[in-house]
Amino acid sequence: MSPRQPPRLAAWLLTRCAITRRGESLLGDLFEEYQTGHTPAWYWRETLVAILIAARCEGSKLLSRRAAQVFLALSAQSALLVWFFMLAEQYR
C-alpha cells in the first residue's frame, strides 16, 4: 500500500514559508502524522499554525510578508467559494 500524500499546496507552503532550523523535521513529522489517518483539514491547520509560529519566531520581515500573503490568498479564495455557493443557491 502506498502512503497517502498530503495536500500539495499545503506541503509547498510549508517548504516556502516555514523556513526554520527544524523545517525538514517538521515536514517529516507532519507527513508521518498524516499517514496515521488525520484529515486534509488537519494538515492545513497544522500548516497555517507552523507558518504563523515561524513568522513570529524568526522575526523576519520577509517571512512575515510571506505569511501575510498566504493568509490573504486563502481569505480571498474562501470569500470566492462562499460567493459561488450563495450564487448557486439562488439559481436552484
Side-chain angles (χ1 to χ4, degrees):
M1 182 181 212
S2 64
R4 291 177 22 193
Q5 293 300 316
R8 285 185 197 177
L9 181 59
W12 180 81
L13 287 173
L14 268 175
T15 59
R16 296 275 297 156
C17 297
I19 303 167
T20 63
R21 294 182 304 264
R22 295 170 274 189
E24 286 188 27
S25 62
L26 174 65
L27 282 169
D29 290 346
L30 285 179
F31 180 79
E32 287 178 12
E33 283 294 317
Y34 186 70
Q35 298 308 309
T36 64
H38 287 286
T39 64
W42 173 86
Y43 195 90
W44 270 106
R45 187 189 73 214
E46 295 298 315
T47 297
L48 296 176
V49 168
I51 291 170
L52 283 174
I53 291 171
R56 181 168 170 90
C57 292
E58 293 292 322
S60 166
K61 290 182 182 179
L62 176 62
L63 190 57
S64 299
R65 204 173 308 137
R66 282 186 186 167
Q69 289 171 348
V70 167
F71 285 111
L72 285 175
L74 291 174
S75 298
Q77 185 179 13
S78 298
L80 284 173
L81 283 173
V82 168
W83 177 77
F84 173 76
F85 285 117
M86 288 174 50
L87 189 62
E89 189 65 29
Q90 279 184 332
Y91 289 103
R92 274 188 148 183

